[in-house]
Amino acid sequence: MFKKIFPFAIGVLFLSSESRSQGCVAIRNVAGFGEFAVLGYKETPDKWMMNINNRYFHATQAFRGKDNVTPPDPSNGLSIYEYTMNLELSRILDKGWELAIDLPISSNNIVSKAEHASGVRHSTSDFGIGDLRFTAYKWLLNTEKPRKGNIQFGLGLKFPTGNYHSMDYFYYSKTDPTLKMLAPVNVAIQLGDGGLGISTELNAFYIFGRHFSVFGNVFYLISPVDVNGVSNQIAGVPPNPVAVATTADVNSVTDSYTLRVGGNYTFKRFVVTAGARYEGAPAHDLFGKNDGLRRVGHIFSIEPGIEYKFKRSFIYTFVTIPMLRATIQTVPDKRATDITGTYTISGGDLANVVYFVGYAFTF
């Protein structure tokens, strides 16, 4: 029975930890939120689990390096609104194996002046499915007998099913503010990145007693594709020659990573979690080139949450609160520094708080 309990109770905790949880930086949502379905699920003979997670945030703060460069007047800043419903289906197999398929559906919106050459504040948006991910998992220790702890390895593929060249209308004329043209939306709200990726995961848990347990998981997405060819230049404005020279005029396909650790306290039907999350996207991928505009950096957050268990299902809610945030210098930034003689570092707009609410059930 143990092998039927823990793939649901703990394995679903780690199905993925990749999400664009903080705005322009740190990772488009190409994977699920199964990490929030935490310890304490009761015994079940069921072989399937469905996890439905909803994520929302509003990003208003702009960072360049460690510096907060948010405009004093909010109307001059960039506001990013992102809502994602993530559908995650898991199939438990024998001998510690598990298969999972994950599909996000997103509704994203940006309101700004800076993206419109007219200088008038407008919104752009997109809606649809994101990048689908398929993963195979294996518990490394024998699951035939009860264990206080175990380690799980996951290997998967991220498919470019999300639209990475979504377009909307941009207002480009200062003399006639009604004139508009179609152009690609900001990379922060594109539904996909256009590249085939390889996801790797290492997950672990340990149970100290009836009430307390700890967990950890590491996720890394390998993205060998260099750039996807989608322009990020302001609609109606001649291309920036420095951006063209450094390849920063098109969007990059970046690696990304997440590290989570935390503890759970179980009391009757409640599970209370306190955790920490470190996530981001690097300036240099493990494989391939590092061209293009990449919104990269790292974010350290605390992540409290609570779960309530029913007989064959549970609901949960988590809040991710950033504590330390920074963007980092990219390869095109370094090229721009060499060309202009002025230190260049890309910025990013980050959320104050990210909210998660989900429901998971077995069948």
Side-chain angles (χ1 to χ4, degrees):
M1 182 62 71
F2 182 86
K3 67 181 181 180
K4 296 180 181 179
I5 304 170
F6 280 90
F8 290 124
I10 301 174
V12 74
L13 172 64
F14 307 114
L15 282 179
S16 167
S17 47
E18 186 189 7
S19 64
R20 176 175 287 274
S21 61
Q22 306 297 338
C24 291
V25 180
I27 318 163
R28 173 171 293 100
N29 172 30
V30 299
F33 299 90
E35 75 263 30
F36 297 126
V38 297
L39 291 169
Y41 198 71
K42 294 184 177 181
E43 294 185 7
T44 173
D46 297 338
K47 289 288 189 176
W48 295 88
M49 170 172 273
M50 185 71 184
N51 186 19
I52 303 171
N53 182 279
N54 300 276
R55 172 180 60 93
Y56 174 79
F57 72 81
H58 176 202
T60 58
Q61 295 192 8
F63 282 78
R64 194 172 298 276
K66 295 181 180 179
D67 298 328
N68 190 326
V69 294
T70 306
D73 183 356
S75 66
N76 292 324
L78 195 75
S79 291
I80 305 175
Y81 303 84
E82 291 194 8
Y83 165 74
T84 298
M85 179 175 68
N86 205 89
L87 305 176
E88 180 179 77
L89 181 65
S90 304
R91 177 70 165 95
I92 308 305
L93 304 174
D94 295 331
K95 298 182 179 180
W97 286 93
E98 179 180 347
L99 300 176
I101 188 168
D102 188 280
L103 183 67
I105 303 172
S106 297
S107 177
N108 305 324
N109 179 265
I110 285 184
V111 182
S112 74
K113 287 182 181 179
E115 294 190 319
H116 301 270
S118 65
V120 179
R121 193 170 175 86
H122 290 283
S123 67
T124 55
S125 61
D126 66 359
F127 170 80
I129 64 170
D131 287 348
L132 179 145
R133 191 166 72 94
F134 178 81
T135 309
Y137 296 92
K138 178 67 169 69
W139 290 102
L140 301 184
L141 303 180
N142 187 357
T143 59
E144 296 295 330
K145 60 181 181 179
R147 291 184 178 275
K148 289 187 175 182
N150 208 334
I151 302 172
Q152 183 190 58
F153 178 73
L155 182 65
L157 289 175
K158 192 268 309 179
F159 298 94
T161 54
N163 190 355
Y164 60 94
H165 49 79
S166 296
M167 304 179 76
D168 203 348
Y169 285 102
F170 291 81
Y171 294 79
Y172 63 90
S173 175
K174 289 185 179 294
T175 58
D176 185 353
T178 65
L179 293 178
K180 58 186 178 181
M181 63 185 296
L182 276 174
V185 299
N186 193 304
V187 64
I189 63 171
Q190 291 285 356
L191 298 170
D193 62 15
L196 180 69
I198 302 170
S199 63
T200 61
E201 298 178 58
L202 190 64
N203 311 306
F205 72 90
Y206 191 84
I207 302 171
F208 287 97
R210 181 179 178 184
H211 296 289
F212 185 66
S213 58
V214 294
F215 65 88
N217 65 298
V218 178
F219 178 98
Y220 195 96
L221 178 68
I222 301 169
S223 299
V225 176
D226 185 24
V227 296
N228 60 25
V230 176
S231 172
N232 54 55
Q233 299 296 283
I234 296 177
V237 176
N240 183 316
V242 174
V244 174
T246 62
T247 73
D249 59 322
V250 294
N251 293 332
S252 181
V253 182
T254 66
D255 287 6
S256 55
Y257 58 84
T258 302
L259 169 67
R260 294 180 71 245
V261 294
N264 303 302
Y265 181 80
T266 303
F267 177 72
K268 295 183 178 180
R269 291 182 175 269
F270 288 95
V271 181
V272 179
T273 297
R277 174 193 288 259
Y278 182 76
E279 61 188 330
H284 297 83
D285 293 342
L286 287 182
F287 302 100
K289 297 180 179 181
N290 307 292
D291 296 325
L293 175 71
R294 43 176 60 202
R295 300 298 191 186
V296 299
H298 48 261
I299 302 167
F300 173 76
S301 308
I302 58 173
E303 198 172 62
I306 189 168
E307 171 193 336
Y308 185 81
K309 300 174 290 180
F310 300 97
K311 184 176 182 181
R312 299 177 66 183
S313 63
F314 46 90
I315 57 175
Y316 56 90
T317 181
F318 279 73
V319 180
T320 299
I321 306 171
M323 305 300 292
L324 299 172
R325 295 168 282 182
T327 65
I328 57 179
Q329 194 178 41
T330 67
V331 170
D333 286 342
K334 294 179 179 179
R335 294 170 182 163
T337 300
D338 293 337
I339 292 172
T340 64
T342 301
Y343 179 78
T344 302
I345 183 171
S346 296
D349 293 84
L350 308 175
N352 293 329
V353 182
V354 186
Y355 303 96
F356 298 88
V357 177
Y359 176 69
F361 58 92
T362 63
F363 58 97

